[in-house]
Structure formats: structure tokens, C-alpha cells
Amino acid sequence: MSHVLDRRITQTFVELADTLVLRFDTIHFLHTLIERCVELLEVDAVGILLADQRGALNLVAASTDQARMLELFQLQDEEGPCLDCFHTGQPVECAHLAQEPQRWPRFTVAAREQGFSAVHALPMRLREQVVGALNLFRISPGAIPQDAVELAQSFANVATISILQVRALRHSEMVTEQLQNALNSRIVIEQAKGILTERFQISVTDAFSLMRTHARNSSQLLSDVAQQVIDGGRRPDEGRQGLTPVRAPHSPPA
């Protein structure tokens, strides 16, 4: 492992542990996690499912439109490795979905339609408390290297501790409030992505990147920027700080 990679991994652990900041943004935090997984692990896409206060799983982050569609399919169809991982609290792996079609018949078809051939789901847990699942997808069949899996599980563990720590520091209830806030923000963000997708004729992924960049540049919460889009308070012609694509993206919606 190169010194550059070692340094990047160390930086990632610092990012995931640094939750003692003003107005901690859970959605932004989780997207940092999936970006680092794609960057540092031998995977093509990553998704995160978190449980709400009733224990039902919700999609809160996905690195590509294809991963987003597959995660939503799992939730709607109630079948797939990520659900198994959450319910058992144990890692679930399939290195070649086409060779095990009977394991998750409908999920396997959906995964292949979205271009994925292998999956590895890892629990986001602290001792006996499982709050979600970190899901790694590969286009080519084959097992994810063990050292990459161990690193991903370490990222998931640190992220879980960080989320629960923030909740504790805010004197929230023991299990749900911070995660529920993230899920509520997700609804607003999804609505805003749909508006921007229609307004600029761009993909869902590009719409999210547009909002996230604007939130970072203007030091706002991502959910606040999304609400501005919904409310119509930010027009695309408001200059350099407005929500305007720098160039017309070419990636079509999934």
C-alpha cells in the first residue's frame, strides 16, 4: 500500500470521526463516506440504508443513479443482500450474482439490469445496535479483496459511532432522533433533486452534485439549499452563487 493511499485512508478516518462541528450535517457526512469508499476500495458504487424510528430501512445515500435505483428496488421488493445484512447484523457477500440466482431471484435480475454483478453488504452497528447497512457494488464479478472489506467495515464502524455520538451530544433520545432527522432531510433533498432534474434536464446524480457544491460554497446545510429549490427562492440566473450547472452534463438519468 502506497504512502499516498495510507495518508488518504488516515484522512478519511479523521473526516468520519470529526463530528464535533457546528450544525453537523448527517446527509453530507454519509455522502463523504460513500465517496471515500468508491475512491479507496475496489468497488464501482456504494449505497447506504439507515433505519428510521420504526426500524424501517430508508435509502439515505448512493454514489450513482444505478446504485440508487437498485437500493430502492430492494426496499420496495423487500428482498436483497442489504436487507439480509441489516436484519442479521452480519456481512452478506455474493461475488457472482449470476451464479446464485436462487438466493435473491428478483434482486439479481434488478442488479444485472443496473449493470452490477457482485455485492458486499456490511452492517452499520455498535455492539448489538444495528442502524443500517453499507453496500458495495461491483460491475465485474469477483469477490472484493478482504483487506478492502475490512477497511470498509472500519469506515462503517467509525461512521456509526460518530452518528450516535452526535445524537448523544445533542441530548437526543438514545436511538432515533439523529437518524430520523437525516431521513426527514432526505425527503426534502429528493424533492429538490426532481425539480432540478426537470429544470436543467440533467440526471439525478448531477442534480444532487449541483446542490451539494452550492451548499459547500455558501456554507449552508444541504437540506436548507434543497428547501430553497422547492420554495423557488433561488433562481438559476442569480449569478455565480446560484444553482446553475457550470456546463451541461451529458449523463442521462437512470
Side-chain angles (χ1 to χ4, degrees):
M1 190 175 293
S2 70
H3 293 301
V4 173
L5 183 57
D6 283 342
R7 186 162 55 251
R8 198 72 180 109
I9 290 172
T10 300
Q11 290 173 347
T12 299
F13 278 116
V14 171
E15 286 180 301
L16 296 179
D18 186 19
T19 58
L20 300 178
V21 295
L22 185 64
R23 303 185 77 198
F24 174 75
D25 191 329
T26 303
I27 296 293
H28 181 82
F29 172 81
L30 293 173
H31 274 273
T32 296
L33 171 58
I34 63 174
E35 286 177 351
R36 297 297 176 266
C37 285
V38 172
E39 175 187 351
L40 299 171
L41 311 174
E42 296 182 27
V43 298
D44 298 294
V46 180
I48 295 177
L49 303 178
L50 288 182
D52 62 18
Q53 58 189 355
R54 299 182 305 276
L57 282 176
N58 291 262
L59 174 64
V60 293
S63 64
T64 67
D65 289 350
Q66 291 75 20
R68 173 178 173 273
M69 293 299 294
L70 185 55
E71 295 282 39
L72 290 174
F73 176 86
Q74 285 192 88
L75 295 175
Q76 180 177 357
D77 212 57
E78 298 183 347
E79 176 192 275
C82 308
L83 274 69
D84 290 355
C85 173
F86 172 73
H87 292 308
T88 65
Q90 299 298 320
V92 176
E93 177 189 15
C94 185
H96 202 318
L97 288 166
Q99 292 182 354
E100 300 184 66
Q102 73 287 351
R103 197 169 176 185
W104 308 287
R106 297 182 299 278
F107 169 82
T108 296
V109 172
R112 297 184 70 183
E113 287 178 350
Q114 295 299 330
F116 299 118
S117 299
V119 60
H120 202 126
L122 301 168
M124 296 184 68
R125 63 180 297 171
L126 179 62
R127 293 184 287 276
E128 299 305 313
Q129 183 178 359
V130 183
V131 301
L134 173 67
N135 312 309
L136 314 176
F137 302 103
R138 295 187 68 182
I139 293 174
S140 301
I144 297 173
Q146 186 59 34
D147 58 347
V149 172
E150 292 174 356
L151 181 57
Q153 185 66 71
S154 296
F155 287 163
N157 293 345
V158 173
T160 302
I161 292 170
S162 294
I163 291 172
L164 295 177
Q165 178 187 38
V166 168
R167 291 180 58 257
L169 290 172
R170 291 176 177 175
H171 306 286
S172 61
E173 295 181 355
M174 198 60 177
V175 179
T176 59
E177 184 177 329
Q178 180 64 27
L179 300 182
Q180 190 63 42
N181 288 340
L183 296 172
N184 292 340
S185 296
R186 177 191 62 85
I187 295 172
V188 175
I189 292 167
E190 290 296 324
Q191 291 175 348
K193 285 196 291 187
I195 292 171
L196 291 178
T197 297
E198 178 66 23
R199 179 184 299 173
F200 294 125
Q201 295 299 300
I202 57 178
S203 71
V204 173
T205 298
D206 289 334
F208 179 81
S209 296
L210 191 62
M211 285 194 296
R212 193 174 179 212
T213 298
H214 182 73
R216 183 164 46 238
N217 291 342
S218 59
S219 299
Q220 298 184 77
L221 288 178
L222 186 57
S223 56
D224 289 347
V225 172
Q227 191 62 57
Q228 291 170 17
V229 173
I230 294 172
D231 294 341
R234 176 69 64 179
R235 302 193 309 274
D237 59 349
E238 287 185 350
R240 293 176 60 188
Q241 298 303 316
L243 283 165
T244 307
V246 175
R247 58 183 178 80
H250 299 291
S251 55

